[in-house]
């Protein structure tokens, strides 16, 4: 028999943990509703202009118990009310994943509740299915562009747990291209939101940057990043105040370039697969130029577009909880021998 043959289980409480990079996040969901979702960020990486893996895992160790405690308290439930423990298995930093996974396994064992492993990228895609007055739920099939600090993926979503990766970056992620450019400009880490802010006051067509060639619907941001570095170095040789006098236009032009590059393949996929539903996910989906252009595309191509609520764009445990909810319905549980996966295909 095909289709949804299982009986839907309701009033399910899932405690979810996400620790794949530098955010220690925990959430409690009742079915598709978030009862609590808290994230402890890590300021220490600002000093280094990027995430330092060893420091990230140490901070996860410090943060995980207080964050879980705070979430349980806010959700107003007891530990014994939890029906399953969800955790990010990968992709991510080994030490960071290990902290969340070890904690989740211990809790699963102590409470005698099933463990559900979640792929971080699957979490970003399924964040669209969290109940929220600020976001709509996409219809299947839809195209999801997942853009974050570590990933750039074009995913055809046929059902909650039935996805096909159509294209992805062959080197750096778009978030990395934002953050490294920000570092070159002397801005703090993570630089994506700062570029976004400065770009609002700048001219998006004043400067142009390199395009890179890839096969299929894949992306490449490494060359764009390097061309940006050379552009700034050359300009500084002619005018030592070039960056400070032109920062808004530099940010606006570079941001517009990255968004144009990322949306070019989106348009091709939508056309080739005759899709009318398009969603964006991941930290970079907070970018205002990307959001503006997605809205413009909605009108131009007569699409239905979906942009998640801001708190579910960047890394958070609620998205891990919602993915686990759909796995719980299928009794898709994991054993306690589960190891973290630095690379984990979707
Ligand atoms: O999804 P996320 O929180 O973590 C990863 O899984 O990587 O994404 C973080 C990335 C960082 O590169 C950050 O600079 C970028 O998202 N980001 C933005 C904006 N807000 C966050 N990039 C551009 N514009 C923004 N407004
Ligand atoms: Zn992420």
């Amino acid at each position: 028999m095909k289709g949804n043959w299982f009986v839907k289980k309701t009033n399910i409480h899932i405690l979810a943990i996400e620790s794949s990079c530098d955010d220690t996040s925990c959430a409690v969901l009742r079915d598709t509703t978030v009862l609590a979702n808290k994230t402890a960020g890590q300021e220490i990486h600002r000093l280094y202009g990027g995430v330092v893996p060893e420091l990230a895992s140490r901070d996860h160790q410090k943060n995980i118990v207080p964050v879980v405690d705070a979430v349980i308290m806010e959700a107003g439930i007891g530990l014994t009310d939890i029906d399953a423990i969800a955790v990010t298995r990968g992709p991510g930093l080994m030490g960071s994943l290990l902290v969340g996974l070890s904690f989740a396994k211990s809790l699963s064992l102590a409470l005698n509740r099933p463990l559900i492993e979640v792929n971080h990228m699957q979490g970003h895609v399924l964040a669209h299915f969290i109940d929220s007055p600020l976001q709509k739920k996409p219809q299947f099939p839809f195209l999801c562009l997942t853009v974050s600090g570590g990933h750039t993926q074009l995913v055809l979503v046929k059902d909650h747990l039935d996805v096909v990766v159509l294209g992805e970056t062959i080197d750096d992620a778009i978030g990395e291209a934002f953050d490294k450019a920000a570092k070159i400009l002397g801005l703090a880490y993570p630089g994506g939101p700062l570029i976004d802010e400065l770009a609002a006051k700048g001219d998006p067509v004043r400067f142009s940057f390199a395009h890179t060639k890839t096969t299929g619907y894949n992306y490449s941001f490494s060359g764009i990043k390097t061309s940006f570095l050379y552009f700034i170095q050359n300009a500084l040789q002619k005018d030592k105040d070039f960056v400070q006098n032109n920062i808004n236009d530099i940010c606006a032009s570079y941001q517009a370039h990255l968004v144009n590059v990322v949306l070019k393949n989106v348009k091709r996929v939508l056309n080739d697969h005759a899709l009318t539903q398009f969603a964006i996910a991941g930290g970079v989906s907070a970018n205002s130029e990307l959001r503006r252009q997605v809205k413009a595309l909605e009108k131009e191509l007569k699409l239905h577009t979906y942009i998640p609520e801001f708190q579910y764009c960047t890394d958070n445990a609620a998205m891990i909880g919602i993915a686990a909810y759909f796995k719980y319905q299928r009794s898709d549980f994991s054993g306690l021998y589960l190891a973290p996966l630095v690379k984990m295909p979707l």
Side-chain angles (χ1 to χ4, degrees):
M1 189 166 44
K2 276 189 94 173
N4 292 343
W5 48 269
F6 52 83
V7 179
K8 194 165 158 191
K9 302 171 191 105
T10 54
N11 207 23
I12 304 303
H13 289 96
I14 293 180
L15 181 123
I17 291 167
E18 151 64 35
S19 71
S20 63
C21 191
D22 60 339
D23 289 315
T24 320
S25 189
C26 181
V28 172
L29 279 78
R30 181 188 298 129
D31 301 332
T32 51
T33 303
V34 176
L35 300 184
N37 178 41
K38 287 191 181 297
T39 303
Q42 303 183 356
E43 293 296 314
I44 184 115
H45 307 289
R46 285 179 186 270
L47 296 173
Y48 303 92
V51 177
V52 183
E54 174 62 23
L55 298 179
S57 47
R58 287 187 208 180
D59 267 15
H60 283 308
Q61 284 285 5
K62 268 194 252 162
N63 294 339
I64 197 152
V65 172
V67 173
V68 171
D69 275 350
V71 157
I72 296 278
M73 180 100 88
E74 189 175 310
I77 59 161
L79 278 175
T80 50
D81 297 322
I82 293 165
D83 296 291
I85 316 293
V87 66
T88 305
R89 185 181 183 189
L93 301 170
M94 177 52 89
S96 293
L97 291 165
L98 207 50
V99 176
L101 198 59
S102 309
F103 189 89
K105 281 186 202 176
S106 314
L107 210 52
S108 156
L109 202 60
L111 299 175
N112 193 23
R113 296 292 190 274
L115 184 71
I116 303 176
E117 61 171 279
V118 173
N119 182 308
H120 180 86
M121 302 308 290
Q122 187 180 36
H124 274 303
V125 172
L126 294 178
H128 286 279
F129 294 92
I130 293 171
D131 293 340
S132 161
L134 300 177
Q135 62 183 47
K136 299 173 289 171
K137 297 180 185 179
Q139 307 283 310
F140 301 114
F142 68 93
L143 178 69
C144 187
L145 169 72
T146 312
V147 275
S148 73
H151 304 273
T152 308
Q153 265 184 351
L154 272 173
V155 183
L156 175 63
V157 189
K158 298 184 200 167
D159 201 350
H160 298 109
L161 300 175
D162 184 3
V163 300
V164 183
V165 178
L166 299 177
E168 60 193 332
T169 181
I170 56 164
D171 42 52
D172 298 329
I174 186 171
E176 162 93 4
F178 269 105
D179 295 339
K180 280 286 148 60
K183 197 173 175 181
I184 293 165
L185 296 173
L187 302 172
Y189 174 84
L194 301 173
I195 290 189
D196 194 355
E197 212 178 302
L198 294 165
K201 296 169 267 174
D203 177 357
V205 293
R206 172 135 177 244
F207 303 113
S208 47
F209 301 96
H211 283 271
T212 45
K213 277 209 173 114
T214 50
T215 53
Y217 302 120
N218 289 331
Y219 293 106
S220 165
F221 290 99
S222 172
I224 298 178
K225 227 173 64 178
T226 312
S227 95
F228 182 80
L229 175 68
Y230 292 156
F231 165 77
I232 296 293
Q233 283 176 344
N234 285 339
L236 284 175
Q237 273 175 5
K238 291 178 203 135
D239 171 10
K240 67 177 177 36
D241 298 323
F242 175 76
V243 168
Q244 69 201 65
N245 289 340
N246 298 282
I247 187 86
N248 297 339
D249 291 349
I250 298 169
C251 289
S253 300
Y254 184 66
Q255 173 177 279
H257 182 64
L258 292 179
V259 171
N260 290 339
V261 166
V262 90
L263 289 181
K264 199 170 162 193
N265 286 1
V266 167
K267 290 182 203 167
R268 287 175 53 219
V269 175
L270 289 171
N271 183 53
D272 295 353
H273 291 255
L275 292 164
T276 56
Q277 306 268 325
F278 173 51
I280 57 174
V284 182
S285 61
N287 183 265
S288 38
E289 176 64 12
L290 178 60
R291 287 173 171 240
R292 192 189 65 73
Q293 288 212 31
V294 166
K295 283 288 152 207
L297 215 57
E298 181 173 69
K299 283 210 179 95
E300 185 192 323
L301 302 179
K302 301 201 169 37
L303 303 172
H304 295 280
T305 63
Y306 304 90
I307 302 177
E309 190 183 327
F310 189 79
Q311 63 164 324
Y312 305 131
C313 286
T314 48
D315 288 352
N316 66 90
M319 70 185 198
I320 304 304
I322 191 82
Y325 165 80
F326 295 113
K327 293 185 112 178
Y328 188 96
Q329 296 297 342
R330 289 157 178 79
S331 300
D332 185 353
F333 304 135
S334 300
L336 287 176
Y337 288 106
L338 204 63
L341 292 173
V342 170
K343 290 192 165 57
M344 185 175 180
L346 195 58

